[in-house]
Structures are given as structure tokens and as C-alpha cells.
Amino acid sequence: ITWNKIANKVRAYIGANQVGDTQIDLGVWAGLLSTRTVIGSNQTFPANTFKGYMWDAAVHTRELEPEEVADFSRPLEGGNPSLMGTRLAYLPKAVEQPGFEELDGKLYLICGRDPAFHSVKVYAYDPIVNTWEEKADYPIAIQSPVLRAVNGKLYGIGGYNSQTHIWYDDVYEYDPIGNTWTPKTNMPTPREDMGSCVIGNKIYVYGGLTTNEIPTKVLEVYDPALDTWDVTKADMPDFKHLGDFGASYNGKAYAIASTNTMAGYPNLIP
């Protein structure tokens, strides 16, 4: 997607085709924004393209590099105060489709694809000191796993390796004190790109792509305390996958921004 400023509004393009524009005047900008990164911007896309809205303009003054993380909550130092964004410490390794989770005030990233090879690297980001620290390698090289935190530990679940064409059912527990990964009881259904959430200290895993890219509706629940899987829960009503689209609120699991085709990544429709 490229972004072009016209008459103080932003238009979004995929290739040469305009797919949306802003609803309101966004203020004074100069020049073309095709090499800028726009987050939000009261952007409205046609329903058949992105199916949703993104709110609150935030523009970085240049294109983000693959391994870069940007915090758009503060004005860019030395720049136009209307252009939001503060560059944070680079990831040590550029990857896509990693697992990502917060634990004890740090953000953990595991595995991913870079894009030709799959990674086993694990990094922890400390937002207080703005640094990344390398941790013990993940036991297998994968993309698109689940990563969830329960009772001070991290749990990596499932994933996929496109080079070996293997969908994984592996489960590993990470102890941040000992900096170790320990194998746990395998998930009954091997898969990637599934939804997940934590309810009552249990990890709910649902949907995703299983062996040979077959979508699944299966819901399975992992209990870290007992190291067991519950396969008696009701399946999802529809096939959903691509991206960890799960969330929990008030004791319920939700599937948000998923898709049921291989045509593209999630839309914004629950």
C-alpha cells in the first residue's frame, strides 16, 4: 500500500488502484507521502477491500524499515508536532509472523520468518530502557505460533515451517528466571495462524490452518497447571484463521479480525 497526500487528505493505493481515502482534512502537509508510514488517519476503505475503519492520524516521517518498531503515542523529536512517532530500538533480527506476548512488563518475540528462513531466536524488549535482550533459542524454527503468558511463564504453541511443510503441535513452556524452554504435552491438533486467549489461567486455542493448509474450527484448551488439553469444548461455528485473532474479556473468548479464505489477511469484521 502506498499513501498519497492530496488537498490535505490522504489517499491509499494498492498498486495503481485507489482503495480508500480519509474522511476529513488532516491539516497541512507538504509533498508526497508515498514513502511515509501512516497509522490510522481516520481512514475509510470500501467494504470489499478492508471492511472497516481505522481512527486517529499518526504519520511517521519516513518509511519504516522491516526490523523497526515505532511508538506512535509521542511526537517525533525535532519534527512537526502533528507528525506522531518515536523510533524505538531496532529488533536484533528482522522477522515476520512471530509470536508476541507481554510478561512482567517486557515484550517477548519468538521465531518468525526473515523471510527466506525460519528463526529460532527469542528476544525480550524492555520499554523502560528501550533495549532488546536475546534469550534462549526456541526449540524449533517456526512462524505463526501462539504465545501466551500464564502465572509468570510463557507458552509457545503450534506453528508452521514452510520450508519443511510441517505444521506443529508442539508446546513449550518458558521460565524467564531460568531462561529455559521445557517441552509440554502436545496440542491435539497441529496448526498455525490460530486464535488464542487466556481465561482463568487456561489457554484457549481455536481455528487456524492445520496440515496441508486445511482450515479448522476446532477449539482446544490447555491447562498449564495440569499440563493437559481439553478437547470437549464446542468448535467455532465458522472456519477462521490467519493471524492470532483471539482475545478474551470478562471471562469470554472472542474471534476478531480473522478470515475464512486464503485470499488475504484479516479484515476488521468480528
Side-chain angles (χ1 to χ4, degrees), residues 3-262:
W3 305 83
N4 185 10
K5 177 263 183 184
I6 297 178
N8 296 331
K9 296 185 178 183
V10 172
R11 294 180 178 176
Y13 296 81
I14 296 180
N17 299 317
Q18 182 182 345
V19 296
D21 58 15
T22 54
Q23 291 181 302
I24 61 173
D25 191 306
L26 295 180
V28 178
W29 280 332
L32 206 63
L33 292 179
S34 60
T35 57
R36 307 294 191 257
T37 298
V38 179
I39 303 297
S41 73
N42 282 326
Q43 186 71 29
T44 302
F45 293 102
N48 63 353
T49 304
F50 288 99
K51 297 185 175 66
Y53 302 90
M54 295 182 291
W55 303 100
D56 300 325
V59 180
H60 208 55
T61 55
R62 57 180 170 72
E63 187 175 16
L64 294 177
E65 297 177 0
E67 70 275 18
E68 188 174 352
V69 179
D71 177 359
F72 288 93
S73 65
R74 299 189 298 271
L76 185 69
E77 295 179 5
N80 187 325
S82 67
L83 304 181
M84 305 296 288
T86 299
R87 188 176 69 189
L88 303 181
Y90 282 9
L91 279 167
K93 181 180 181 63
V95 291
E96 62 181 13
Q97 302 183 62
F100 201 64
E101 177 67 301
E102 183 272 338
L103 176 64
D104 295 335
K106 294 184 179 181
L107 302 176
Y108 286 80
L109 181 146
I110 69 168
C111 301
R113 190 174 62 180
D114 65 349
F117 298 96
H118 291 77
S119 173
V120 296
K121 293 301 180 183
V122 176
Y123 302 103
Y125 175 73
D126 187 334
I128 303 299
V129 295
N130 187 29
T131 58
W132 290 92
E133 181 181 1
E134 186 170 346
K135 298 295 185 178
D137 286 352
Y138 198 69
I140 53 177
I142 52 172
Q143 67 183 62
S144 307
V146 156
L147 185 65
R148 290 296 183 184
V150 177
N151 286 334
K153 304 282 183 67
L154 288 172
Y155 295 87
I157 302 173
Y160 171 63
N161 187 305
S162 60
Q163 294 173 305
T164 60
H165 209 57
I166 294 175
W167 281 261
Y168 286 90
D169 56 9
D170 299 57
V171 179
Y172 295 96
E173 177 189 81
Y174 178 73
D175 180 355
I177 297 177
N179 188 31
T180 56
W181 291 96
T182 302
K184 295 294 180 177
T185 300
N186 286 10
M187 177 171 54
T189 304
R191 46 183 151 171
E192 61 154 334
D193 276 319
M194 52 283 204
S196 69
C197 66
V198 176
I199 301 175
N201 292 327
K202 296 180 180 181
I203 302 173
Y204 287 64
V205 180
Y206 39 96
L209 292 173
T210 188
T211 304
N212 296 322
E213 295 186 348
I214 298 175
T216 179
K217 299 186 287 186
V218 168
L219 165 62
E220 295 165 338
V221 182
Y222 179 66
D223 186 339
L226 300 177
D227 190 27
T228 57
W229 285 90
D230 181 354
V231 297
T232 66
K233 305 299 184 184
D235 290 345
M236 299 178 68
D238 299 305
F239 296 103
K240 296 291 183 182
H241 55 83
L242 290 182
D244 189 348
F245 50 86
S248 63
Y249 176 73
N250 201 24
K252 294 183 179 180
Y254 291 83
I256 302 172
S258 57
T259 184
N260 55 10
T261 73
M262 289 297 292

